[in-house]
Amino acid sequence: MNIQENISLKKYNTFGIDVLAKKFVSINFLHELKEVVSTEKDIFILSGGSNMLLTQDINKLVVHINNKGICIDNQDDNFVYITVNAGENWHDFVLWCVNQNYGGIENLSLIPGNVGTCPIQNIGAYGIEVKDVITKVEALEIATSKLRTFSEEECKFGYRNSVFKNELKGKYIITSVSFKLTKKNHKLNTSYGAIESELIERGITKPNIKDISNAVISIRNAKLPNPKEIGNSGSFFKNPVITKEHFLKLVEKFKNIPSYIISETEIKVPAGWLIETAGFKGKRFNDAGVHTKQALVLVNYGNASGKEIFNLAKKIQEEILNMFEIKLEIEVNII
Ligand code: EPU
């Protein structure tokens, strides 16, 4: 293991924010992680760096989780059970599954980040959440250096949420994630409007999982900025859930407000629409901006600091509160 000093984290976070790590170590094997954790407790865990906004230098030991490996634990005619080490890139894993004709995560194509972080915020897109296919998560407890296996239930998954974002935040390091995927009779989810129309456009009437993955990739490429080209962290805010009364009041003023019914009393409204309606879509303040094609995504055009992006987020939150009386919640971790 090579512990380095004063390392720039620019290439380790998808926002491309240039802050320094006082100390930095990249972990390739579980035994290395155990060794680090047993000697140093004041650590900062960095995985794919795709769901964080770094607003300051990190005066701790930054531990970069980079353990790779995909293992088929078991399979029968219908299902395959796979364990994937935390440092594997998420999209590479999705493509590997699609190529083997393993179904269940094709709708989650092209989501940035690593496998180890997918359970933390229960990544989701186009009608699927990763919790639907996770069977267990293995994680190392920092305090004891002991491994613990979390069942799907123990992960307490919710919308962009899990136990790892709440009561266990900062206490465990996810080392691997296990999935149950289909080998045949795939449950295809094309109900999300954009997928269906994309398939129709491609003349596909009987899609397979590769067709769906390709459709998702092309929808995402058209709407979401590629972090390799423009720094970003996907959706910066969560879609807010408001009461039905509140919604009915808003509809009087904003006739075309989109909505999804959550329950008899609750309605979800897309934050992207609120931000666009408030006039922020495509706005740029120095190198911090709101993406031109999806207002829910904040972007770094090159040299924005984390503080500049955070200030823009606060400005948006204020405006949305004034205009719609809705408190937008930030989805990305602010460091
Ligand atoms: N909309 C606008 N203006 C915008 C963006 C969106 O009016 O600038 C409207 C759209 O017209 C549509 C609605 O908002 O009526 C929903 O937009 P979209 O389908 O793009 O989805 P979203 O709710 O904005 C969520 C996830 C995305 C995921 C997509 C597709 C959250 C916070 N975001 O976005 O996840 O890819 O659905 O399933 O739930 C991420 O979490 O990083 C992410 C990209």
Side-chain angles (χ1 to χ4, degrees):
M1 265 184 312
N2 174 21
I3 297 187
Q4 297 165 280
E5 283 182 15
N6 294 323
I7 292 292
S8 166
L9 294 180
K10 192 170 168 79
K11 67 172 187 197
Y12 294 101
N13 69 100
T14 60
F15 249 126
I17 305 289
D18 195 6
V19 296
L20 286 182
K22 195 174 173 201
K23 287 191 284 172
F24 180 93
V25 65
S26 201
I27 295 293
N28 298 310
F29 302 101
L30 192 55
H31 71 87
E32 294 177 339
L33 184 62
K34 283 185 178 165
E35 197 183 316
V36 167
V37 167
S38 57
T39 50
E40 179 72 63
K41 302 287 176 205
D42 197 20
I43 55 176
F44 177 86
I45 304 298
L46 180 73
S47 184
S50 63
N51 201 38
M52 58 172 63
L53 178 65
L54 297 165
T55 62
Q56 55 191 321
D57 291 340
I58 312 281
N59 288 317
K60 297 180 178 183
L61 171 62
V62 172
V63 180
H64 178 228
I65 307 296
N66 200 31
N67 59 329
K68 309 269 191 210
I70 300 178
C71 173
I72 295 183
D73 301 322
N74 210 340
Q75 56 184 314
D76 54 31
D77 287 349
N78 297 308
F79 299 104
V80 58
Y81 299 83
I82 309 175
T83 294
V84 186
N85 280 336
E88 284 286 346
N89 174 271
W90 173 260
H91 180 59
D92 289 348
F93 171 56
V94 172
L95 289 184
W96 182 83
C97 290
V98 167
N99 287 329
Q100 316 284 324
N101 197 33
Y102 297 155
I105 51 175
E106 54 284 353
N107 292 44
L108 304 180
S109 297
L110 216 60
I111 293 187
N114 285 355
V115 169
T117 38
C118 77
I120 300 180
Q121 55 148 339
N122 180 22
I123 57 172
Y126 308 106
I128 296 281
E129 285 183 333
V130 76
K131 75 170 173 59
D132 303 335
V133 289
I134 287 181
T135 54
K136 57 183 198 250
V137 170
E138 193 188 61
L140 190 77
E141 188 176 26
I142 296 171
T144 60
S145 309
K146 283 208 174 106
L147 280 176
R148 172 172 162 192
T149 302
F150 291 80
S151 66
E152 190 263 341
E153 233 167 48
E154 287 172 316
C155 292
K156 298 189 187 164
F157 290 122
Y159 167 59
R160 294 294 190 277
N161 215 347
S162 77
V163 72
F164 305 107
K165 246 184 136 170
N166 293 294
E167 55 261 47
L168 297 186
K169 191 173 179 177
K171 296 202 164 73
Y172 282 86
I173 303 166
I174 294 174
T175 53
S176 70
V177 184
S178 301
F179 303 88
K180 179 185 178 182
L181 302 174
T182 50
K183 283 172 71 180
K184 57 183 182 192
N185 303 326
H186 303 302
K187 261 200 240 146
L188 302 183
N189 191 330
T190 55
S191 58
Y192 191 92
I195 294 189
E196 219 146 53
S197 45
E198 181 71 31
L199 290 171
I200 291 170
E201 224 169 85
R202 290 162 178 244
I204 297 167
T205 46
K206 280 196 189 133
N208 57 31
I209 57 177
K210 191 158 202 153
D211 296 326
I212 295 186
S213 173
N214 286 339
V216 168
I217 289 172
S218 106
I219 296 164
R220 286 188 78 98
N221 275 336
K223 258 198 187 171
L224 298 167
N226 180 347
K228 287 189 183 128
E229 286 153 22
I230 304 176
N232 77 91
S233 206
S235 300
F236 197 87
F237 301 97
K238 285 186 183 182
N239 285 330
V241 175
I242 59 175
T243 63
K244 202 169 169 181
E245 290 83 60
H246 189 168
F247 179 73
L248 292 174
K249 234 173 73 187
L250 286 177
V251 170
E252 283 175 22
K253 207 165 159 198
F254 305 97
K255 300 251 170 324
N256 59 345
I257 182 169
S259 61
Y260 313 98
I261 295 170
I262 297 290
S263 70
E264 254 172 47
T265 54
E266 290 175 313
I267 311 266
K268 191 183 262 188
V269 291
W273 184 90
L274 298 172
I275 298 167
E276 178 171 349
T277 306
F280 281 103
K281 193 172 185 170
K283 280 270 161 73
R284 180 171 173 171
F285 305 85
N286 298 321
D287 269 1
V290 178
H291 188 48
T292 47
K293 295 182 193 143
Q294 162 58 290
L296 194 49
V297 179
L298 301 191
V299 293
N300 172 11
Y301 283 106
N303 292 313
S305 69
K307 285 205 172 81
E308 281 177 289
I309 306 257
F310 190 45
N311 286 339
L312 171 57
K314 285 197 283 198
K315 202 188 277 190
I316 292 171
Q317 280 177 315
E318 262 169 44
E319 192 57 33
I320 299 299
L321 189 62
N322 280 339
M323 207 165 161
F324 305 99
E325 286 177 51
I326 292 178
K327 234 179 139 202
L328 273 193
E329 207 183 312
I330 291 179
E331 200 233 289
V332 167
N333 290 306
I334 309 294
I335 311 293

